[in-house]
Amino acid sequence: MRLLIMGPPGAGKGTQAVSLAERVGGAHISTGDIFRANVQQQTELGREAQRYMDAGEYVPDEITNAMVRDRLGHDDARESFILDGYPRTLDQVATLDGILDELGSGLDGVVELVVDPEELIQRLLKRAETSGRADDTEAVIRHRQQVYTDETAPLIDVYSQRGLLMQIDGVGDVAEVSARIDDALPA
Ligand code: ADP
C-alpha cells in the first residue's frame, strides 16, 4: 500500500506513520527524520537544511525533492510506503506525481489527521519541554502552523479532488486514532 500521511505540526503524524508502516508492512519515509539525521551527522544536506528548519521554514523544494526521489528508489519502498511530511507544497505534489509515474506506481490514499489548531499549539509547547528540538519554541511553533496553513493546507483539496483523501479525527489516544485510520484504509 502506498500512502501519504498529512496534518499540521503536532497532529501526531510521526507517531501514526511509524505504526501504520508496521501494520501495512511498508517503508516509513519521514522527510523531517531524514533532515534531522543529516543535521546530526553534519552532512552537506544537513548543513543546507538546518537554517531553514531552525527557523520553522520549509527547506527549498529542489533539496527536498531530490532527497525523496532518491529514497523512493530504494527496494524497501517499491511495493509499500508511508510518506510522512511530504509533499508539503504544490511543487512537491507535481514532483511526487512524476516520480511515481517513472516508477510505474501511484498512491492508494492520503490520510489527513484533523486537529484543532489551538489544541496543537498546546501539545507542541508541552513537547518542547522535553524534545530539545531547536524548532520547538513558541514563536517558531506558531510560525510553523502558519506556514502549514499557507503552503500545505491547499494540498488537501488536490487529493480530495482525486478521490484519495481520508480525513481522520486526530483527537484521542494513539490506539484510538490508529483504529480510525485502519477503518478508513482502502481494502
Ligand atoms: P513537523 O513537526 O512540523 O511535522 P517534521 O519533523 O516533519 O515537522 O519536519 C521538520 C522540518 O523539516 C520542517 O519544519 C521543515 O523545515 C523540514 N521539512 C520536512 N519535510 C519537508 C518538506 N516536505 N518540504 C520542506 N521542508 C520540509
Side-chain angles (χ1 to χ4, degrees):
M1 186 124 43
R2 301 179 183 95
L3 300 170
L4 307 184
I5 186 160
M6 299 183 55
K13 226 171 6 96
T15 307
Q16 291 298 334
V18 169
S19 72
L20 181 57
E22 279 171 14
R23 297 200 300 283
V24 306
H28 170 229
I29 303 177
S30 158
T31 45
D33 285 353
I34 299 173
F35 282 133
R36 278 187 289 277
N38 276 278
V39 168
Q40 231 166 24
Q41 292 157 22
Q42 303 244 321
T43 66
E44 175 75 35
L45 175 68
R47 273 193 294 275
E48 277 183 282
Q50 181 162 25
R51 60 196 168 105
Y52 299 102
M53 296 173 71
D54 287 353
E57 301 288 349
Y58 287 168
V59 177
D61 283 344
E62 57 183 30
I63 298 176
T64 311
N65 285 335
M67 185 177 88
V68 172
R69 179 182 295 280
D70 174 72
R71 182 63 187 87
L72 282 174
H74 291 202
D75 276 352
D76 67 335
R78 190 144 311 189
E79 298 296 326
S80 194
F81 59 76
I82 311 297
L83 207 40
D84 163 7
Y86 183 95
R88 265 176 153 110
T89 65
L90 291 168
D91 181 84
Q92 292 179 8
V93 171
T95 299
L96 178 61
D97 288 343
I99 296 171
L100 294 177
D101 259 2
E102 282 166 29
L103 293 171
S105 71
L107 294 174
D108 297 300
V110 176
V111 174
E112 183 202 1
L113 293 178
V114 181
V115 185
D116 167 71
E118 262 316 304
E119 156 107 22
L120 290 176
I121 305 229
Q122 295 317 314
R123 278 193 196 179
L124 286 170
L125 287 172
K126 220 166 139 194
R127 183 177 85 182
E129 291 168 12
T130 55
S131 75
R133 271 175 55 163
D135 58 355
D136 268 351
T137 66
E138 179 159 3
V140 174
I141 286 169
R142 288 194 182 273
H143 182 62
R144 279 163 58 219
Q145 299 290 347
Q146 192 58 46
V147 172
Y148 180 85
T149 303
D150 295 343
E151 305 250 2
T152 304
L155 276 57
I156 302 290
D157 288 339
V158 171
Y159 288 117
S160 170
Q161 278 162 21
R162 294 186 189 180
L164 290 172
L165 189 66
M166 295 166 266
Q167 290 187 297
I168 306 293
D169 177 4
V171 180
D173 65 36
V174 171
E176 245 172 331
V177 176
S178 297
R180 286 180 201 139
I181 293 175
D182 287 349
D183 284 345
L185 289 180

